[in-house]
Every structure is written in structure tokens, then in C-alpha cells.
Amino acid sequence: MTPIALVQALVACYTEHQDGERAIAMAAYMKNRFPFYGIPMPQRKQLNKVLLPERKAAIIEAWLLETVQLLWQENERECQYAGLDLLERFSSVLTMQAIASLEALILQKSWWDTVDLLATKSIGELVLQFPELRSTMDGYSQHPNLWLRRTAILHQLKYKQKTDAERLFHYCIENAESKEFFIQKAIGWALREYAKTDSTAVVAFVNHHQKRLANLSQREALKHLPNSENLS
């Protein structure tokens, strides 16, 4: 099925299953930035099992990226979620060159619900597979666009022992004085997640940089640590 045909089929299916009242509530949760069909995630996942392809052997990178870009052009937010589902399902077909397309998705219709999944799954996996892209993340960390900076901070979120701690801490310090809520929150979230792997390093980092890190970042970083490990 061509990208256009798949998107048309998906839009027709979502339209058939739309729920006006739920759509209003879902849009309100996202600060009314995007319209919704009103399809909850469990139902959308079930619909996607029928609509979206499953065989990896039939998928090539160009088809995948074109389909996701078309889904990004649709108004209703569930279409972008379908694009994220496709990227997660077929992440293994992406090459290093896909970073440009993923960056474009981050910069379009930007909000935490799509950016965070692109950062922690699609881009995070791509950087693990192609370490050369770490320099691209270095550029993101200093980028004027807050969503690219958030991506740099969060892309290692699922790395655990594979985390480049020096790079993570560097990104946090580069962005420590930002007044943006989504940057302060990302710093705290990234540090909190890494604390599950090395809590000593995170506590030492927060202690050393108390005066630079926002209170929100510090609270989030240490939220789930035992009291004995928290700041004195």
C-alpha cells in the first residue's frame, strides 16, 4: 500500500470511530493545541493492528518516512500518534540519514506528547546504533529551539548502563539556567532516570551544581531517592 493510500485508509477509519465528547476532553488535556478524533490509546492500538503493516521485510526507509510525514500533515493528533507507532514498529529500517527527517518531525506540531517519544525512542535508538550522531545531539543541546534542546537532554533516557554520563551532565549544565519549564523538567527527568543506574553520581552532580540548577530540576532529579541520599 502506498503512503497516501495508507493514510487515507487510516483517516477514514479514525473518522468512523471518532467520539466528539472524548475529543473535547483530549484536546483540553493538550491545552487545545490540537484537534482529536477522541479515540483512546487502547482502541487506537487495536485499530492500528488492522491498518498498519506488520511485516518488516516489506518496509523500506523511504516508505516509512514518507508515510510518517503525511501523517504529521493531518490535523487530528491521533494521526501523529500513528506515525510514532510506525516509527517504533519499524525502527530497525532507519539509517543514520533518517535523523534529518526525525528532526523535522520534532519541529512540526511540537509538544511534549510527540517530542518525548521521538527523543527517547526513535532518536535515542538511532544514536545508539550510529554513535556518529552524538555530535548532532551536541548541537541540539545548544539549539535555539527548546524542543531540540529537550531532545538532546532526553535522548539517553532509556540507556541505563549505556548512558554517556559525562554528556548527560554536560547537557544539563548547558541548559541549567533556562527559564523554560520543559527544559527544567527534562533535566530533572533525565537525571532521575539515570539515578536508577548511578544514584551516587546524580546526587554528587546535583549537590555540586545546586546554585545553577533550577529548583524544579533538583526536585525531579532526587524525587525517588531515599532521604539519606537527598541533598542535605
mmCIF file of all heavy atoms in Angstrom, residues 88-130:
data_model
loop_
_atom_site.group_PDB
_atom_site.id
_atom_site.type_symbol
_atom_site.label_atom_id
_atom_site.label_comp_id
_atom_site.label_asym_id
_atom_site.label_seq_id
_atom_site.Cartn_x
_atom_site.Cartn_y
_atom_site.Cartn_z
ATOM 1 N N GLU A 88 8.206 3.317 15.795
ATOM 2 C CA GLU A 88 8.637 2.361 16.811
ATOM 3 C C GLU A 88 8.638 0.940 16.249
ATOM 4 O O GLU A 88 9.549 0.154 16.492
ATOM 5 C CB GLU A 88 7.718 2.442 18.030
ATOM 6 C CG GLU A 88 8.136 1.498 19.148
ATOM 7 C CD GLU A 88 7.279 1.638 20.392
ATOM 8 O OE1 GLU A 88 6.308 2.427 20.366
ATOM 9 O OE2 GLU A 88 7.583 0.957 21.384
ATOM 10 N N ARG A 89 7.619 0.610 15.474
ATOM 11 C CA ARG A 89 7.478 -0.742 14.939
ATOM 12 C C ARG A 89 8.583 -1.084 13.950
ATOM 13 O O ARG A 89 9.063 -2.220 13.900
ATOM 14 C CB ARG A 89 6.112 -0.885 14.268
ATOM 15 C CG ARG A 89 5.774 -2.290 13.819
ATOM 16 C CD ARG A 89 4.367 -2.367 13.257
ATOM 17 N NE ARG A 89 3.346 -1.996 14.229
ATOM 18 C CZ ARG A 89 2.032 -2.087 14.012
ATOM 19 N NH1 ARG A 89 1.590 -2.523 12.845
ATOM 20 N NH2 ARG A 89 1.175 -1.726 14.939
ATOM 21 N N PHE A 90 9.018 -0.092 13.174
ATOM 22 C CA PHE A 90 9.986 -0.364 12.111
ATOM 23 C C PHE A 90 11.280 0.419 12.298
ATOM 24 O O PHE A 90 11.936 0.800 11.322
ATOM 25 C CB PHE A 90 9.363 -0.044 10.749
ATOM 26 C CG PHE A 90 8.116 -0.832 10.471
ATOM 27 C CD1 PHE A 90 6.892 -0.194 10.383
ATOM 28 C CD2 PHE A 90 8.162 -2.204 10.332
ATOM 29 C CE1 PHE A 90 5.735 -0.918 10.135
ATOM 30 C CE2 PHE A 90 7.023 -2.946 10.090
ATOM 31 C CZ PHE A 90 5.800 -2.303 9.996
ATOM 32 N N SER A 91 11.666 0.640 13.526
ATOM 33 C CA SER A 91 12.874 1.428 13.810
ATOM 34 C C SER A 91 14.122 0.797 13.199
ATOM 35 O O SER A 91 15.082 1.504 12.874
ATOM 36 C CB SER A 91 13.063 1.579 15.316
ATOM 37 O OG SER A 91 13.207 0.306 15.938
ATOM 38 N N SER A 92 14.104 -0.511 13.013
ATOM 39 C CA SER A 92 15.297 -1.199 12.515
ATOM 40 C C SER A 92 15.630 -0.856 11.062
ATOM 41 O O SER A 92 16.747 -1.111 10.613
ATOM 42 C CB SER A 92 15.133 -2.714 12.649
ATOM 43 O OG SER A 92 14.044 -3.171 11.874
ATOM 44 N N VAL A 93 14.690 -0.281 10.317
ATOM 45 C CA VAL A 93 14.980 0.046 8.912
ATOM 46 C C VAL A 93 15.602 1.429 8.762
ATOM 47 O O VAL A 93 16.039 1.801 7.670
ATOM 48 C CB VAL A 93 13.712 -0.047 8.023
ATOM 49 C CG1 VAL A 93 13.001 -1.375 8.235
ATOM 50 C CG2 VAL A 93 12.769 1.124 8.262
ATOM 51 N N LEU A 94 15.646 2.198 9.841
ATOM 52 C CA LEU A 94 16.168 3.560 9.750
ATOM 53 C C LEU A 94 17.688 3.569 9.683
ATOM 54 O O LEU A 94 18.367 2.836 10.405
ATOM 55 C CB LEU A 94 15.696 4.388 10.946
ATOM 56 C CG LEU A 94 14.196 4.634 11.049
ATOM 57 C CD1 LEU A 94 13.876 5.431 12.298
ATOM 58 C CD2 LEU A 94 13.661 5.353 9.803
ATOM 59 N N THR A 95 18.214 4.438 8.834
ATOM 60 C CA THR A 95 19.650 4.638 8.731
ATOM 61 C C THR A 95 20.021 5.964 9.381
ATOM 62 O O THR A 95 19.157 6.733 9.810
ATOM 63 C CB THR A 95 20.090 4.663 7.256
ATOM 64 O OG1 THR A 95 19.512 5.824 6.627
ATOM 65 C CG2 THR A 95 19.637 3.401 6.534
ATOM 66 N N MET A 96 21.301 6.251 9.426
ATOM 67 C CA MET A 96 21.779 7.478 10.048
ATOM 68 C C MET A 96 21.173 8.715 9.389
ATOM 69 O O MET A 96 20.945 9.739 10.037
ATOM 70 C CB MET A 96 23.302 7.525 9.996
ATOM 71 C CG MET A 96 23.928 8.665 10.775
ATOM 72 S SD MET A 96 25.716 8.474 10.957
ATOM 73 C CE MET A 96 26.240 8.708 9.253
ATOM 74 N N GLN A 97 20.894 8.618 8.097
ATOM 75 C CA GLN A 97 20.357 9.769 7.366
ATOM 76 C C GLN A 97 18.937 10.128 7.810
ATOM 77 O O GLN A 97 18.455 11.230 7.528
ATOM 78 C CB GLN A 97 20.370 9.483 5.861
ATOM 79 C CG GLN A 97 21.742 9.546 5.218
ATOM 80 C CD GLN A 97 22.687 8.454 5.686
ATOM 81 O OE1 GLN A 97 22.256 7.296 5.857
ATOM 82 N NE2 GLN A 97 23.942 8.787 5.906
ATOM 83 N N ALA A 98 18.284 9.228 8.526
ATOM 84 C CA ALA A 98 16.913 9.492 8.972
ATOM 85 C C ALA A 98 16.845 10.603 10.010
ATOM 86 O O ALA A 98 15.767 11.150 10.269
ATOM 87 C CB ALA A 98 16.282 8.217 9.537
ATOM 88 N N ILE A 99 17.974 10.966 10.592
ATOM 89 C CA ILE A 99 17.964 11.981 11.634
ATOM 90 C C ILE A 99 17.374 13.295 11.133
ATOM 91 O O ILE A 99 16.688 14.012 11.881
ATOM 92 C CB ILE A 99 19.385 12.214 12.213
ATOM 93 C CG1 ILE A 99 19.329 13.078 13.476
ATOM 94 C CG2 ILE A 99 20.298 12.800 11.171
ATOM 95 C CD1 ILE A 99 18.668 12.419 14.650
ATOM 96 N N ALA A 100 17.604 13.631 9.871
ATOM 97 C CA ALA A 100 17.064 14.885 9.318
ATOM 98 C C ALA A 100 15.539 14.850 9.301
ATOM 99 O O ALA A 100 14.885 15.845 9.640
ATOM 100 C CB ALA A 100 17.611 15.129 7.918
ATOM 101 N N SER A 101 14.966 13.720 8.932
ATOM 102 C CA SER A 101 13.506 13.595 8.908
ATOM 103 C C SER A 101 12.932 13.607 10.310
ATOM 104 O O SER A 101 11.877 14.216 10.560
ATOM 105 C CB SER A 101 13.108 12.294 8.192
ATOM 106 O OG SER A 101 13.500 12.327 6.838
ATOM 107 N N LEU A 102 13.593 12.957 11.248
ATOM 108 C CA LEU A 102 13.117 12.943 12.632
ATOM 109 C C LEU A 102 13.193 14.338 13.241
ATOM 110 O O LEU A 102 12.307 14.749 13.990
ATOM 111 C CB LEU A 102 13.940 11.945 13.452
ATOM 112 C CG LEU A 102 13.832 10.480 13.013
ATOM 113 C CD1 LEU A 102 14.762 9.602 13.851
ATOM 114 C CD2 LEU A 102 12.401 9.984 13.104
ATOM 115 N N GLU A 103 14.248 15.064 12.910
ATOM 116 C CA GLU A 103 14.369 16.444 13.382
ATOM 117 C C GLU A 103 13.220 17.295 12.851
ATOM 118 O O GLU A 103 12.635 18.102 13.584
ATOM 119 C CB GLU A 103 15.706 17.036 12.949
ATOM 120 C CG GLU A 103 15.895 18.488 13.358
ATOM 121 C CD GLU A 103 17.224 19.060 12.913
ATOM 122 O OE1 GLU A 103 18.247 18.340 13.002
ATOM 123 O OE2 GLU A 103 17.247 20.233 12.470
ATOM 124 N N ALA A 104 12.880 17.098 11.590
ATOM 125 C CA ALA A 104 11.773 17.854 11.001
ATOM 126 C C ALA A 104 10.465 17.564 11.730
ATOM 127 O O ALA A 104 9.639 18.462 11.940
ATOM 128 C CB ALA A 104 11.639 17.520 9.518
ATOM 129 N N LEU A 105 10.264 16.322 12.157
ATOM 130 C CA LEU A 105 9.054 15.966 12.899
ATOM 131 C C LEU A 105 9.019 16.665 14.262
ATOM 132 O O LEU A 105 7.968 17.112 14.720
ATOM 133 C CB LEU A 105 8.974 14.448 13.094
ATOM 134 C CG LEU A 105 8.846 13.607 11.817
ATOM 135 C CD1 LEU A 105 8.848 12.122 12.179
ATOM 136 C CD2 LEU A 105 7.589 13.971 11.029
ATOM 137 N N ILE A 106 10.175 16.759 14.900
ATOM 138 C CA ILE A 106 10.242 17.445 16.190
ATOM 139 C C ILE A 106 9.846 18.905 16.051
ATOM 140 O O ILE A 106 9.165 19.468 16.921
ATOM 141 C CB ILE A 106 11.666 17.325 16.784
ATOM 142 C CG1 ILE A 106 11.916 15.888 17.252
ATOM 143 C CG2 ILE A 106 11.874 18.298 17.943
ATOM 144 C CD1 ILE A 106 13.341 15.631 17.684
ATOM 145 N N LEU A 107 10.239 19.513 14.944
ATOM 146 C CA LEU A 107 9.999 20.944 14.738
ATOM 147 C C LEU A 107 8.594 21.253 14.233
ATOM 148 O O LEU A 107 8.215 22.420 14.175
ATOM 149 C CB LEU A 107 11.038 21.498 13.764
ATOM 150 C CG LEU A 107 12.490 21.461 14.264
ATOM 151 C CD1 LEU A 107 13.449 21.900 13.163
ATOM 152 C CD2 LEU A 107 12.672 22.320 15.502
ATOM 153 N N GLN A 108 7.837 20.220 13.877
ATOM 154 C CA GLN A 108 6.471 20.421 13.391
ATOM 155 C C GLN A 108 5.469 19.983 14.461
ATOM 156 O O GLN A 108 5.616 18.927 15.054
ATOM 157 C CB GLN A 108 6.222 19.585 12.127
ATOM 158 C CG GLN A 108 7.101 19.956 10.949
ATOM 159 C CD GLN A 108 6.921 18.977 9.811
ATOM 160 O OE1 GLN A 108 5.816 18.733 9.347
ATOM 161 N NE2 GLN A 108 8.017 18.395 9.357
ATOM 162 N N LYS A 109 4.471 20.800 14.699
ATOM 163 C CA LYS A 109 3.419 20.482 15.672
ATOM 164 C C LYS A 109 4.034 20.051 17.001
ATOM 165 O O LYS A 109 3.645 19.058 17.604
ATOM 166 C CB LYS A 109 2.490 19.407 15.111
ATOM 167 C CG LYS A 109 1.819 19.827 13.801
ATOM 168 C CD LYS A 109 0.812 18.825 13.310
ATOM 169 C CE LYS A 109 0.144 19.370 12.036
ATOM 170 N NZ LYS A 109 -0.871 18.462 11.480
ATOM 171 N N SER A 110 4.993 20.832 17.469
ATOM 172 C CA SER A 110 5.806 20.444 18.618
ATOM 173 C C SER A 110 5.033 20.533 19.929
ATOM 174 O O SER A 110 4.472 21.581 20.261
ATOM 175 C CB SER A 110 7.040 21.356 18.715
ATOM 176 O OG SER A 110 7.738 21.393 17.498
ATOM 177 N N TRP A 111 5.033 19.450 20.639
ATOM 178 C CA TRP A 111 4.543 19.418 22.018
ATOM 179 C C TRP A 111 5.116 18.175 22.670
ATOM 180 O O TRP A 111 5.631 17.284 22.002
ATOM 181 C CB TRP A 111 3.016 19.441 22.056
ATOM 182 C CG TRP A 111 2.423 19.867 23.374
ATOM 183 C CD1 TRP A 111 1.585 19.150 24.170
ATOM 184 C CD2 TRP A 111 2.613 21.124 24.042
ATOM 185 N NE1 TRP A 111 1.240 19.870 25.288
ATOM 186 C CE2 TRP A 111 1.854 21.088 25.236
ATOM 187 C CE3 TRP A 111 3.346 22.278 23.755
ATOM 188 C CZ2 TRP A 111 1.821 22.148 26.144
ATOM 189 C CZ3 TRP A 111 3.321 23.343 24.655
ATOM 190 C CH2 TRP A 111 2.560 23.270 25.822
ATOM 191 N N TRP A 112 5.047 18.096 23.995
ATOM 192 C CA TRP A 112 5.755 17.033 24.699
ATOM 193 C C TRP A 112 5.292 15.635 24.299
ATOM 194 O O TRP A 112 6.080 14.674 24.351
ATOM 195 C CB TRP A 112 5.615 17.216 26.210
ATOM 196 C CG TRP A 112 4.206 17.133 26.732
ATOM 197 C CD1 TRP A 112 3.349 18.160 26.958
ATOM 198 C CD2 TRP A 112 3.477 15.935 27.061
ATOM 199 N NE1 TRP A 112 2.136 17.702 27.418
ATOM 200 C CE2 TRP A 112 2.184 16.339 27.496
ATOM 201 C CE3 TRP A 112 3.788 14.582 27.043
ATOM 202 C CZ2 TRP A 112 1.209 15.420 27.903
ATOM 203 C CZ3 TRP A 112 2.823 13.662 27.439
ATOM 204 C CH2 TRP A 112 1.553 14.086 27.866
ATOM 205 N N ASP A 113 4.026 15.485 23.907
ATOM 206 C CA ASP A 113 3.495 14.142 23.660
ATOM 207 C C ASP A 113 4.151 13.460 22.463
ATOM 208 O O ASP A 113 4.314 12.234 22.465
ATOM 209 C CB ASP A 113 1.971 14.181 23.491
ATOM 210 C CG ASP A 113 1.505 15.114 22.382
ATOM 211 O OD1 ASP A 113 2.211 16.100 22.094
ATOM 212 O OD2 ASP A 113 0.422 14.870 21.824
ATOM 213 N N THR A 114 4.544 14.230 21.447
ATOM 214 C CA THR A 114 5.252 13.647 20.313
ATOM 215 C C THR A 114 6.768 13.777 20.465
ATOM 216 O O THR A 114 7.511 12.841 20.168
ATOM 217 C CB THR A 114 4.828 14.309 18.992
ATOM 218 O OG1 THR A 114 4.986 15.730 19.092
ATOM 219 C CG2 THR A 114 3.378 13.976 18.669
ATOM 220 N N VAL A 115 7.224 14.910 20.952
ATOM 221 C CA VAL A 115 8.671 15.149 21.057
ATOM 222 C C VAL A 115 9.327 14.128 21.973
ATOM 223 O O VAL A 115 10.397 13.586 21.659
ATOM 224 C CB VAL A 115 8.951 16.581 21.547
ATOM 225 C CG1 VAL A 115 10.436 16.751 21.889
ATOM 226 C CG2 VAL A 115 8.547 17.593 20.489
ATOM 227 N N ASP A 116 8.706 13.829 23.101
ATOM 228 C CA ASP A 116 9.341 12.924 24.062
ATOM 229 C C ASP A 116 9.499 11.515 23.501
ATOM 230 O O ASP A 116 10.515 10.850 23.743
ATOM 231 C CB ASP A 116 8.546 12.892 25.361
ATOM 232 C CG ASP A 116 8.657 14.193 26.141
ATOM 233 O OD1 ASP A 116 9.339 15.119 25.664
ATOM 234 O OD2 ASP A 116 8.060 14.290 27.230
ATOM 235 N N LEU A 117 8.512 11.041 22.758
ATOM 236 C CA LEU A 117 8.627 9.713 22.163
ATOM 237 C C LEU A 117 9.641 9.702 21.028
ATOM 238 O O LEU A 117 10.410 8.743 20.874
ATOM 239 C CB LEU A 117 7.261 9.240 21.675
ATOM 240 C CG LEU A 117 6.286 8.834 22.786
ATOM 241 C CD1 LEU A 117 4.921 8.493 22.204
ATOM 242 C CD2 LEU A 117 6.825 7.645 23.578
ATOM 243 N N LEU A 118 9.668 10.759 20.238
ATOM 244 C CA LEU A 118 10.697 10.845 19.200
ATOM 245 C C LEU A 118 12.091 10.865 19.825
ATOM 246 O O LEU A 118 13.018 10.213 19.333
ATOM 247 C CB LEU A 118 10.483 12.101 18.350
ATOM 248 C CG LEU A 118 9.312 12.071 17.378
ATOM 249 C CD1 LEU A 118 9.020 13.476 16.847
ATOM 250 C CD2 LEU A 118 9.600 11.114 16.212
ATOM 251 N N ALA A 119 12.234 11.594 20.923
ATOM 252 C CA ALA A 119 13.538 11.721 21.573
ATOM 253 C C ALA A 119 14.002 10.422 22.205
ATOM 254 O O ALA A 119 15.135 9.972 21.989
ATOM 255 C CB ALA A 119 13.488 12.830 22.622
ATOM 256 N N THR A 120 13.133 9.813 23.004
ATOM 257 C CA THR A 120 13.550 8.666 23.815
ATOM 258 C C THR A 120 13.512 7.347 23.055
ATOM 259 O O THR A 120 14.198 6.400 23.440
ATOM 260 C CB THR A 120 12.669 8.544 25.068
ATOM 261 O OG1 THR A 120 11.298 8.332 24.677
ATOM 262 C CG2 THR A 120 12.742 9.817 25.901
ATOM 263 N N LYS A 121 12.724 7.278 21.984
ATOM 264 C CA LYS A 121 12.641 6.025 21.229
ATOM 265 C C LYS A 121 13.339 6.149 19.874
ATOM 266 O O LYS A 121 14.417 5.597 19.679
ATOM 267 C CB LYS A 121 11.179 5.612 21.063
ATOM 268 C CG LYS A 121 10.546 5.192 22.395
ATOM 269 C CD LYS A 121 9.172 4.583 22.214
ATOM 270 C CE LYS A 121 8.625 4.072 23.542
ATOM 271 N NZ LYS A 121 7.299 3.424 23.393
ATOM 272 N N SER A 122 12.750 6.891 18.958
ATOM 273 C CA SER A 122 13.299 6.935 17.596
ATOM 274 C C SER A 122 14.730 7.470 17.570
ATOM 275 O O SER A 122 15.650 6.817 17.066
ATOM 276 C CB SER A 122 12.404 7.791 16.703
ATOM 277 O OG SER A 122 11.097 7.253 16.639
ATOM 278 N N ILE A 123 14.941 8.654 18.121
ATOM 279 C CA ILE A 123 16.273 9.259 18.072
ATOM 280 C C ILE A 123 17.215 8.570 19.037
ATOM 281 O O ILE A 123 18.389 8.327 18.713
ATOM 282 C CB ILE A 123 16.176 10.772 18.334
ATOM 283 C CG1 ILE A 123 15.529 11.448 17.115
ATOM 284 C CG2 ILE A 123 17.558 11.373 18.617
ATOM 285 C CD1 ILE A 123 15.375 12.944 17.220
ATOM 286 N N GLY A 124 16.732 8.226 20.209
ATOM 287 C CA GLY A 124 17.583 7.516 21.167
ATOM 288 C C GLY A 124 18.145 6.235 20.588
ATOM 289 O O GLY A 124 19.353 5.947 20.716
ATOM 290 N N GLU A 125 17.297 5.440 19.938
ATOM 291 C CA GLU A 125 17.753 4.194 19.328
ATOM 292 C C GLU A 125 18.704 4.462 18.167
ATOM 293 O O GLU A 125 19.686 3.727 17.972
ATOM 294 C CB GLU A 125 16.550 3.381 18.855
ATOM 295 C CG GLU A 125 15.707 2.829 19.995
ATOM 296 C CD GLU A 125 14.538 2.004 19.490
ATOM 297 O OE1 GLU A 125 14.539 1.626 18.293
ATOM 298 O OE2 GLU A 125 13.623 1.732 20.286
ATOM 299 N N LEU A 126 18.432 5.501 17.411
ATOM 300 C CA LEU A 126 19.277 5.810 16.258
ATOM 301 C C LEU A 126 20.682 6.212 16.703
ATOM 302 O O LEU A 126 21.679 5.795 16.105
ATOM 303 C CB LEU A 126 18.633 6.922 15.432
ATOM 304 C CG LEU A 126 19.015 7.006 13.951
ATOM 305 C CD1 LEU A 126 18.568 5.751 13.212
ATOM 306 C CD2 LEU A 126 18.383 8.238 13.314
ATOM 307 N N VAL A 127 20.776 7.000 17.764
ATOM 308 C CA VAL A 127 22.094 7.429 18.252
ATOM 309 C C VAL A 127 22.868 6.242 18.820
ATOM 310 O O VAL A 127 24.089 6.154 18.663
ATOM 311 C CB VAL A 127 21.941 8.545 19.299
ATOM 312 C CG1 VAL A 127 23.295 8.912 19.899
ATOM 313 C CG2 VAL A 127 21.298 9.775 18.675
ATOM 314 N N LEU A 128 22.157 5.307 19.463
ATOM 315 C CA LEU A 128 22.832 4.106 19.954
ATOM 316 C C LEU A 128 23.411 3.302 18.795
ATOM 317 O O LEU A 128 24.520 2.782 18.882
ATOM 318 C CB LEU A 128 21.846 3.228 20.736
ATOM 319 C CG LEU A 128 21.809 3.354 22.254
ATOM 320 C CD1 LEU A 128 20.862 2.309 22.839
ATOM 321 C CD2 LEU A 128 23.197 3.207 22.868
ATOM 322 N N GLN A 129 22.651 3.203 17.725
ATOM 323 C CA GLN A 129 23.084 2.420 16.572
ATOM 324 C C GLN A 129 24.172 3.132 15.779
ATOM 325 O O GLN A 129 25.069 2.484 15.222
ATOM 326 C CB GLN A 129 21.893 2.121 15.660
ATOM 327 C CG GLN A 129 22.209 1.178 14.514
ATOM 328 C CD GLN A 129 20.981 0.843 13.684
ATOM 329 O OE1 GLN A 129 19.872 1.287 13.970
ATOM 330 N NE2 GLN A 129 21.183 0.052 12.643
ATOM 331 N N PHE A 130 24.093 4.462 15.755
ATOM 332 C CA PHE A 130 25.059 5.253 14.984
ATOM 333 C C PHE A 130 25.678 6.317 15.901
ATOM 334 O O PHE A 130 25.207 7.460 15.954
ATOM 335 C CB PHE A 130 24.384 5.922 13.780
ATOM 336 C CG PHE A 130 23.707 4.957 12.847
ATOM 337 C CD1 PHE A 130 22.328 4.797 12.878
ATOM 338 C CD2 PHE A 130 24.453 4.203 11.949
ATOM 339 C CE1 PHE A 130 21.697 3.908 12.017
ATOM 340 C CE2 PHE A 130 23.831 3.312 11.091
ATOM 341 C CZ PHE A 130 22.456 3.149 11.123
#
